[in-house]
């Protein structure tokens, strides 16, 4: 229902762009924009979609490959913007510039969804379709939010895997990248709640999660300390992809085989730990696929085709999304174990 | 006689000044050659060109027959050039011993440091000039005088063929100067050439064989020291006649403007009593470490007192900061001009107004017209040699810089002006001008505390002299006492009596 | 006399460490284990190395904020090459990374000497430059544990000896060896060689050092090359310890090291600094960061606590210095 | 022409910077095309400038007294967090509407001044090196924000507040005018007031300043008060722009503010530099960063370009500085001859 209300604004921006185009050499963008105003073409090549990721690391590098794949598959004019640091301010700056450029759609994986809301609103006022990923909390402020899964369910997966690996009893501790990271916190809460509800013999040692600061040495150093403070600890889980650090610390203390670790993980970075048994489970979803699906959804919305329950986003796990409260859920959680980790190459 | 150094047509320019204009000079073995001239005439610049600190624009430097158009400090050392720089060039955080030995070691291209050797070198040199400084102290903790002695030791530590001494005696007491001059004469006998720069004419005459006079970057000529006397020398230097007038207090107001009563700070000074009236110029002298600087700092609110009191115009006051001091009309000309007195990268006018910024402002807005007027006046009155008041002060010569610092405090029209060795490194021409100004301000009712080592200077300018020794006030001489013929002798005796006890304690 | 005075300052640091340790032990006796010391040694070893390099730079009157970028550049490039060529030799890793460090350090020195600008700015620029060059022209991929050369992994896990206690083995990390070697070498350089004295001399006053016959340019080349070399070495140890290779780690953690060195009594204006003080400074920072869980502080109070302690220790050490200076009528602002 | 040359010689760094800015501008205009200068893009750029600009001004002030203030961003965020609590009603003392906004603004200013004075007192009373002292206070201020929020963002502000960021005056964002006004005021204060003069003197040689009866402690504290205030204003602008506050927002600005100050000709040893330079550098930085987005550069390439630019600007300053000194020398010699 949002596409139609945006129509006049889009026409406006197209008009100003047209005025500029009269005096200056025509650029591709402006012709497209005016074409859109008249009649929405379905040709992906006519749409400029930009994906703004959080920062540069292996996770988002993989997401970039997914977006590039989309371009190859469909011919959609899609590109990726990578901020210098994982900071909401740089994402806002990039989005501002994109709004001024008048792209058709912006996909964003917000560092801090709350902070991006005014900019998202501004983009939408300018007739730009905005699709987020990993930001279900602000789904009502965007055209669509694409999620690989329901965060609570994914969080419960952490709890379930850990509980199974620990045999249903003992003390455990959980990490997040930082207390400011919303999805991490959501998984953490869901995991702890799941364990509390189902495994009464298990006990989380702290109220709040530990922060590993999104770095392996952070996870490593904190783990050493936790081992000292709680010598009877029996399991760890990490909602940021730094479980390797925990495993390293356990290996160092010869406790890798007795204390299981469940962590968000990239196969490429954690296959060793899965294979030597220091990591019991790795959990993830495929960033490339998520990027693919998000950008494709953005194209669909920009071209007026809409995304509803059952829409196919043309990639594994998102063949038939479930749209609820403006959030399109795929079903794409991945669970790695020593056996299957080699099947993934990201 | 064998020629060691010959300078031919040497020229050097800095922005805004031609510091040296086609200088020709030759210096022989076993000769004490004095350079004389007013502030900023280019003496230090000449030294720096020869020692490899500056690169000459034009001209040749011939050392031991080798011709150089420019040298590095190392080359200069290799040719036997040693320098005691005007700014001493010491290392603040290093110990005295290391400071003395380091040039020698670095020159010898030593790779490994032998700390015993360093101590040995340092001890030798300190014994040689007969002073006892704790060798393990860092230079940053030393008084100016001890720093100067350290720098002298350093230059002596290396076997020089030609030794440049750029105002080496500015912070020394008479006794130390005498000892230094004796050493110079000894060195001369050993065949060294010594180039001695000083503004103290008595020193020059007591050692010099040849005197070269500079004016405005040009050489006026070489003179045999016997052919000159103080009067003719200053005439050549300044191009005019100069005279030190004797100060007599004219002010009729005998109410004390400032009274210092039983002022004490342990280990620095003890039970100091001084009463100052309008128009008084009170000389404060004593050995190094006698606590003069400490006392001055206390009066200016930079050094907490422990007991006793200070009264300004009869009212007891607590001076706990320079701002307070300024409020009470007290000004201080600091001893360490470079670090404490100057804003080296700022313009002359900004330096002049630096103590008066708030007074020159109206509701927070700085009145630049007034500031410029003030600066113009200061430059004119104190005869600062500068292209304009917009010149960066760091490019002036040392003496001219000092004049600006004096000017800055005079501009605040203080009631009591404490001057810690104000004429150090200032030429006679400027000195006379400064004395004249001081007298004039004293006549107008300003009280002045004049800290100095030069007894002659104190005798000429003060109507009362206080001698300190080891933090205690040994004697106070009034105008009547000073008029006695043997006053100067008496003071120097008192000072040396203090010194005797010091040496005893050191042993 | 000299040594006595310096100890005075280090005593304060030791006192802070001891008092803090006592407080932590009261709160949680687990702190009193041997393990604690061994763990702190291991986790702080990399920082110790760069801190010592930075100490040398700061004594010479400079500062370097590019050392983390150099460490990253050196280790990342070296290990990339090793993986590509299948080399598995620790010596080569250290050598190659150290050489890269020397090269980048020399660039720092040349720029500082040429531009005559505060080294803080120059190295701020080169920090960006090195990191940019590395990620743009070499690679920006991450490598996980299994991919790294085996020798690195062994080194990272290696111990000099192990003590077996009831809850597992406690080993003293082998990284202590390079730290000790570097510490001793640096001490020898600073106090027993002329170039070391030259470093102190140019830190005190460059112009005076020149006049005393030193060549500040050469000394500076040495200083930054040395700091670069240590950074290169540190990079390898770091990678070995975390057992993974990232193109964007380390950079951004420079200031904590600067803080550690300054808390250790090194003058930010140069000319003064002690290795033992630096070690104490690093220890304080690490002690703070690695006892938060032991004293049961929840994560959201971490920063408040660390910040407060940092502010207090800076305030105490600086105030001591100020009092000492003021009593000698030395006015440093 | 002659006047221009005279002016250029008077402030060389500034003229180099202006020339450079134009050169970069023209280059970018050629590479990117007209969209760089479209009204849309200009508005968008000027909309982004203020929050960063205020932080850069704060950094500039601290650099000019030979210090550095690493705590500005932590300060801005924590101020924003407290202000957000006022604005969302949790701390509003029963006010509403405009009254609440005014209360919030007062609260923000008081709060930022408190932070600033803490820095100032710490540095002036203990002679702690600013780099280390503010590293400590940065962690401390962050810690306060963290302890209060537990890391979550504080939102639900009354909607009127975001109007501050959205409002426009003469086609340009009001917050940009505010920034420009603040820069002009800071510039005027530094150039024409007694405070400004004392500030430069204190920055140039604090010891001599003390011996001149300038109240060093007061200068230091007021500098950091001002720094804190500017950071606090940045916090307000952030809050109004993003409509929520959170620890860690804008951490990447810290390094950039330092770079901007250097490019803008501030001598980090203190006592030298002008506001104009920094303002131009801020604009230059913004134009380049927008251009980078348009060109879709990778973050590492951006880093590389910042690095190269910094080294180039410094190198150029140095070379031209040397050259002009040489020319001045020659001219002075000619004049004498
Ligand atoms: N580094 C410099 N830069 C610019 N100008 C300088 C520099 N050094 C000296 N000058 C200028 O050169 C001239 C000669 O200075 P110099 O220091 O040689 O004088 P001086 O004879 O030693 O005076 P004083 O007795 O005061 O020490 C002065 O006008 C001074 O301002
Ligand atoms: N052992 C020491 N430790 C620290 N500081 C010392 C020591 N010995 C001397 N000093 C410093 O040096 C000072 C002596 O020099 P100072 O210049 O202050 O005295 P002065 O009376 O002004 O003599 P002059 O002007 O001739 O140098 C001492 O009072 C003290 O401040
Ligand atoms: Mg001189
Ligand atoms: Mg003295």
């Amino acid at each position: 229902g949002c596409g139609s209300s945006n129509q006049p604004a889009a026409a406006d921006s197209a008009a100003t762009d047209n005025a500029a185009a009269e005096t200056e050499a025509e650029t591709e963008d402006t012709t497209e924009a005016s074409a859109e105003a008249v009649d929405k073409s379905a040709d992906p090549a006519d749409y400029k979609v930009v994906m703004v990721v959080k920062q540069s690391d292996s996770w988002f590098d993989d997401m970039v490959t997914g977006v590039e794949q989309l371009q190859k598959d469909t011919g959609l004019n899609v590109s990726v913007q990578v901020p210098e640091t994982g900071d909401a301010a740089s994402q806002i700056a990039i989005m501002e510039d994109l709004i001024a450029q008048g792209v058709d759609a912006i996909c964003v994986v917000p560092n801090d969804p709350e902070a991006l809301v005014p900019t998202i609103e501004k983009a939408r006022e300018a007739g730009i379709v905005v699709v987020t990923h990993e930001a279900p909390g602000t789904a009502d402020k965007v055209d669509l939010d694409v999620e690989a899964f329901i965060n609570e369910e994914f969080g419960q997966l952490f709890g379930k895997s850990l509980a199974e690996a620990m045999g249903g009893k003992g003390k455990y501790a959980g990490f997040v990248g930082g207390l400011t990271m919303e999805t991490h916190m959501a998984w953490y809460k869901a995991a702890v709640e799941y364990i509390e509800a189902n495994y009464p013999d298990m006990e989380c040692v702290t109220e709040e999660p530990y922060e590993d600061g999104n770095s392996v040495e952070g996870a490593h150093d904190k783990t050493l300390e936790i081992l000292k403070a709680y010598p009877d600890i029996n399991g760890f889980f990490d909602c940021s992809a730094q479980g390797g650090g925990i495993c390293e610390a356990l290996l160092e203390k010869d406790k890798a085989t007795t204390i299981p670790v469940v962590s968000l993980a990239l196969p490429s970075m954690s296959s060793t730990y899965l294979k030597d048994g220091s990591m019991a489970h790795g959990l993830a979803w495929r960033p490339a696929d998520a990027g693919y699906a998000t950008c494709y959804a953005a194209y669909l919305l920009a071209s007026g085709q809409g995304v509803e329950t059952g829409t196919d986003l043309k990639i594994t796990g998102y063949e038939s999304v479930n749209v609820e409260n403006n959030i399109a859920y795929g079903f794409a959680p991945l669970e790695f174990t020593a056996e299957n980790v080699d099947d993934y190459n990201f | 006689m064998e020629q060691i150094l010959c300078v031919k047509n040497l020229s050097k320019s800095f922005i805004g000044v031609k510091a040296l204009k086609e200088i020709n000079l030759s210096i022989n073995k076993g000769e004490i050659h004095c350079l004389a001239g007013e502030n900023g005439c280019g003496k230090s610049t000449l030294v720096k060109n020869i020692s490899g600190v500056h690169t000459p624009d034009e001209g040749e430097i011939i050392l031991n027959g080798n011709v150089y158009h420019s040298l590095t400090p190392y080359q200069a050392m290799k040719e036997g050039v040693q320098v005691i720089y005007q700014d001493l060039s010491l290392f603040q955080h290093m110990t005295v011993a290391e400071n003395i030995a380091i040039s020698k070691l670095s020159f010898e291209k030593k790779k490994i440091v032998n700390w015993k050797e360093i101590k040995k070198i340092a001890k030798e040199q300190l014994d040689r000039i007969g002073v006892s400084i704790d060798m393990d102290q860092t230079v940053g903790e030393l008084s100016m005088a001890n720093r100067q002695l350290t720098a002298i030791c350093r230059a002596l530590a290396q076997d020089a063929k030609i030794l440049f001494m750029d105002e080496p005696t500015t912070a020394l007491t008479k006794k130390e100067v005498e000892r230094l001059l004796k050493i110079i004469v000894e060195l001369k006998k050993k065949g060294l050439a010594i180039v001695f720069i000083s503004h103290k004419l008595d020193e020059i005459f007591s050692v010099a064989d040849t005197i070269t006079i500079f004016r405005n970057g040009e050489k006026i000529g070489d003179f045999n020291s016997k052919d000159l006397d103080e009067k003719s020398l200053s005439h050549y230097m300044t191009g005019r006649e100069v005279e030190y007038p004797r100060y007599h207090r004219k002010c009729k107001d005998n109410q004390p403007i400032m009274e210092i009563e039983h002022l004490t700070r342990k280990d620095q000074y003890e039970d100091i009593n001084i009463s100052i009236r309008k128009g008084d110029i009170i000389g404060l002298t004593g050995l190094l470490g006698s606590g003069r600087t400490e006392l001055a700092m206390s009066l200016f609110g930079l050094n907490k007192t422990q007991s006793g009191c200070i009264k300004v115009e009869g009212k007891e006051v607590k001076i706990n900061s320079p701002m307070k001091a300024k409020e009470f009309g007290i000004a201080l000309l600091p001893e360490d001009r470079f670090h404490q007195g100057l804003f080296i990268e700022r313009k002359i006018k900004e330096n002049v107004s630096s103590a008066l910024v708030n007074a020159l402002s109206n509701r927070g807005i700085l009145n630049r017209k007034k500031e410029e007027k003030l600066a113009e006046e200061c430059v004119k009155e104190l005869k600062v040699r500068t292209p304009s008041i917009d010149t960066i002060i760091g490019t002036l010569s040392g003496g001219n810089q000092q004049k600006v610092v004096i000017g800055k405090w005079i501009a605040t029209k203080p009631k009591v002006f404490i001057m810690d060795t104000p004429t150090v490194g200032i030429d006679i021409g400027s000195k006379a001008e400064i004395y004249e100004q001081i007298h004039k301000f004293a006549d107008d009712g300003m009280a002045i505390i004049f800290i100095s080592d030069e007894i002659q200077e104190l005798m000429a300018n003060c109507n009362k002299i206080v001698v300190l020794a080891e933090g205690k006030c040994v004697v106070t001489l009034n105008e009547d006492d000073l008029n006695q013929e043997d006053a100067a002798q008496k003071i120097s005796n008192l000072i040396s009596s203090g010194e005797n006890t010091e040496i005893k304690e050191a042993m | 006399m000299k040594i006595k005075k310096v100890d005075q300052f280090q005593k304060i640091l030791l006192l802070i460490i001891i008092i803090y340790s006592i407080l932590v032990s009261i709160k949680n006796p687990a702190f009193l284990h041997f393990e604690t010391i061994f763990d702190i040694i291991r986790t702080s070893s990399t920082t110790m190395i760069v801190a010592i390099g930075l100490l040398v730079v700061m004594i010479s009157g400079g500062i370097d904020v590019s050392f983390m970028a150099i460490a990253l550049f050196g280790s990342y490039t070296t290990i990339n090459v090793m993986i590509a060529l299948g080399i598995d030799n620790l010596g080569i890793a250290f050598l190659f990374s150290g050489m890269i460090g020397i090269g980048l350090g020399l660039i720092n020195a040349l720029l500082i000497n040429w531009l005559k600008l505060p080294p803080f700015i120059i190295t701020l620029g080169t920090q960006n430059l090195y990191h940019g060059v590395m990620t743009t022209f070499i690679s920006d991929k991450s490598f996980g544990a299994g991919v790294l050369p085996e020798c690195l992994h062994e080194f990272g896990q290696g111990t000099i000896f192990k003590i077996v206690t009831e809850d597992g083995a406690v080993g003293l990390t082998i990284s202590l060896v390079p730290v000790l070697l570097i510490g001793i070498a640096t001490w020898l350089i600073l106090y027993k060689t002329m170039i070391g004295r030259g470093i102190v001399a140019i830190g005190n006053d460059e112009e005076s050092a020149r006049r005393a016959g030193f060549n500040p340019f050469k000394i500076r080349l040495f200083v930054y090359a040395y700091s670069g070399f240590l950074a290169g070495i540190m990079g390898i140890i770091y990678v070995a310890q975390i057992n993974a290779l990232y193109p964007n780690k380390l950079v951004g953690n420079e200031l904590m090291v600067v803080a550690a060195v300054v808390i250790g009594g090194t003058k930010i204006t140069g000319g003064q600094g002690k290795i033992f003080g630096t070690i104490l400074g690093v220890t304080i920072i690490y002690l703070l960061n690695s006892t938060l869980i032991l004293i049961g502080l929840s994560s959201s109070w971490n920063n408040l606590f660390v910040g407060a302690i940092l502010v207090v220790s800076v305030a105490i050490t600086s105030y001591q210095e100020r009092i000492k200076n003021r009593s000698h009528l030395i006015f440093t602002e | 022409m002659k006047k221009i040359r005279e002016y250029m010689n008077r402030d060389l760094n500034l003229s180099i910077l202006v020339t450079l800015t134009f050169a970069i501008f023209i280059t970018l205009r050629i590479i990117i095309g007209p969209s760089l200068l479209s009204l849309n893009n200009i508005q968008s750029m000027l909309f982004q400038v203020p929050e960063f600009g205020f932080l850069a001004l704060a950094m500039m002030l601290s650099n000019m007294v030979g210090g550095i203030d690493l705590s500005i961003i932590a300060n801005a965020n924590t101020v924003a967090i407290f202000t957000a609590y006022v604005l969302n009603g949790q701390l509003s003392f029963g006010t509403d509407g405009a009254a609440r906004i005014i209360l919030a603004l007062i609260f923000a200013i008081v709060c930022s001044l408190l932070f600033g004075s803490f820095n100032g007192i710490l540095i002036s009373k203990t002679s702690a090196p600013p780099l280390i002292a503010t590293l400590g206070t940065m962690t401390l201020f962050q810690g306060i924000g963290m302890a209060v929020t537990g890391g979550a963002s504080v939102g639900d502000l009354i909607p009127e507040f975001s109007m501050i960021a959205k409002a426009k005056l003469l086609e340009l964002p009001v917050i940009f005018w505010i920034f420009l006004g603040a820069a002009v005021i800071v510039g005027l204060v530094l150039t024409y007031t007694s405070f400004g003069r004392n500030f430069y003197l204190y920055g140039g040689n604090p010891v001599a300043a003390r011996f001149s009866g300038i109240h060093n402690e007061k200068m230091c504290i007021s500098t950091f008060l001002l720094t804190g205030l500017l950071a606090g204003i940045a916090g307000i602008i952030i809050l109004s722009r993003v409509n929520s506050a959170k620890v860690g927002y804008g951490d990447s600005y810290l390094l950039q503010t330092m770079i901007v100050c250097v490019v803008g000709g501030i001598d980090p040893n203190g006592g030298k530099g002008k506001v104009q330079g920094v303002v131009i550098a801020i604009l230059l930085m913004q134009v380049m960063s927008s251009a980078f987005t348009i060109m879709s550069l990778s973050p590492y390439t951006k880093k590389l370009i910042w690095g190269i630019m910094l080294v180039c600007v410094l190198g150029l300053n140095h070379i031209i500085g040397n050259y002009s000194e040489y020319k001045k020398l020659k001219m002075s010699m000619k004049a004498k001859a």
Side-chain angles (χ1 to χ4, degrees), chain C residues 44-55 67 94 175-180 182-183 186 226-227 229-235 237-238 257 278 282:
Chain C
S44 66
S45 56
T46 46
T47 308
M48 288 283 180
I49 295 176
V50 275
I52 289 173
L54 181 63
L55 168 77
F67 57 88
F94 279 123
S175 312
L176 182 62
V177 177
V179 176
L180 283 180
I182 286 166
T186 310
Y226 187 67
S227 140
F229 174 73
L230 295 190
I233 299 291
M234 173 271 196
I237 298 178
Y238 174 82
V257 184
T278 303
V282 174

Side-chain angles (χ1 to χ4, degrees), chain C residues 1-18:
Chain C
M1 173 139 185
K2 178 185 84 191
I3 294 159
K4 215 177 89 197
K5 234 181 291 168
V6 171
D7 270 358
Q8 176 70 22
F9 186 77
Q10 293 175 346
K11 256 185 226 151
I12 296 168
L13 292 178
L14 275 173
L15 209 68
I16 294 177
I17 292 179
I18 291 168

Side-chain angles (χ1 to χ4, degrees), chain B residues 48 53 73-74 77 85 87 89-95 98 102-103 105-106 110-113 115 134 136-138 140-141 154 265 268 293-294 297 302-303 340, chain C residues 1-2 5 190-195 197-198 200-214 218 267 269-272 324 326-331:
Chain B
K48 288 180 186 168
V53 172
Y74 183 76
M77 270 192 232
Y85 291 98
D87 59 13
S89 282
L90 293 172
F91 303 105
Q92 299 268 323
H93 301 303
M94 287 185 174
T95 62
E98 207 183 348
I102 196 161
S103 306
L105 298 182
S106 113
K110 283 258 166 54
K111 294 276 181 282
I112 303 298
V113 180
W115 288 93
D134 179 357
D136 291 324
Q137 244 187 333
T138 57
E141 291 166 341
R154 172 158 82 179
R265 186 184 160 101
Q268 293 185 351
T293 300
E294 284 81 353
M297 294 254 198
L302 284 167
N303 187 15
Q340 302 173 335
Chain C
M1 173 139 185
K2 178 185 84 191
K5 234 181 291 168
L190 282 180
Y191 294 101
K192 294 286 169 193
T193 68
M194 226 28 221
I195 192 154
R197 298 328 287 167
V200 182
I202 66 168
N204 272 285
D205 186 344
E206 188 175 336
E207 183 57 34
S208 300
R210 196 192 306 278
R211 291 177 190 178
F214 289 103
K218 278 190 196 156
K267 279 257 151 45
T269 44
Q272 216 177 22
K324 194 184 110 195
R326 285 286 154 91
S327 73
H328 288 155
L329 298 182
I330 299 170
F331 295 89

Side-chain angles (χ1 to χ4, degrees), chain C residues 111-125:
Chain C
L111 282 174
I112 291 167
N113 213 63
W114 174 51
L115 296 174
K116 305 259 181 311
L117 276 173
F120 181 74
I121 296 176
I122 308 249
T123 52
L124 195 64

Side-chain angles (χ1 to χ4, degrees), chain A residues 52-215:
Chain A
V52 184
V53 299
K54 282 188 185 175
Q55 65 193 43
S56 167
D57 58 24
S58 0
W59 184 268
F60 291 105
D61 288 352
D62 189 55
M63 193 171 277
V64 174
T65 58
V67 173
E68 280 163 1
Q69 189 58 42
L70 174 67
Q71 186 169 25
K72 262 188 232 142
D73 290 353
T74 62
L76 183 70
N77 182 5
V78 60
S79 60
V80 182
Q81 289 279 349
V82 189
E84 281 172 77
T85 51
D87 180 358
S90 12
Q91 284 188 320
I92 291 176
I94 290 176
M95 281 185 69
E96 289 282 352
D97 291 332
L98 293 175
I99 295 168
Q101 287 298 301
V103 296
D104 295 300
I106 298 174
C107 301
V108 55
V109 193
N111 276 307
D112 174 5
E114 206 52 49
L116 253 61
V117 168
T119 320
I120 290 172
E121 279 168 352
K122 191 169 169 187
R124 295 183 67 199
E125 274 160 28
I128 298 170
V129 170
V130 180
V131 179
T132 50
H133 172 56
E134 275 195 70
T138 51
D140 52 329
K141 305 290 198 316
V142 293
D143 291 280
L144 186 72
D145 178 62
V146 176
E147 294 297 313
F149 36 65
I150 295 167
N151 276 323
E152 280 67 38
E153 287 177 8
F154 190 64
Q156 286 163 8
L157 220 49
F158 277 96
K160 197 160 146 253
S161 313
L162 184 67
E164 278 166 10
M166 288 170 64
K169 56 173 185 289
K171 286 187 179 174
Y172 67 95
F175 282 93
V176 295
L179 295 176
T180 55
M181 323 220 86
E182 261 181 41
T183 45
H184 290 187
M185 293 298 280
W187 301 333
Y188 176 84
K189 284 202 187 98
V192 173
E193 275 163 20
Y194 177 84
I195 292 176
E196 266 171 15
N198 296 301
Y199 296 93
D201 290 341
M202 287 175 69
E203 187 199 337
C204 186
V205 294
T206 49
E207 292 280 310
E208 265 184 335
Y210 292 112
E211 285 180 299
D212 62 25
N214 287 316
S215 81

Side-chain angles (χ1 to χ4, degrees), chain A residues 318-329:
Chain A
Y318 306 83
E319 289 98 342
S320 167
V321 292
N322 183 18
V323 181
E324 232 176 81
N325 299 328
N326 219 15
I327 306 176
Y329 294 104

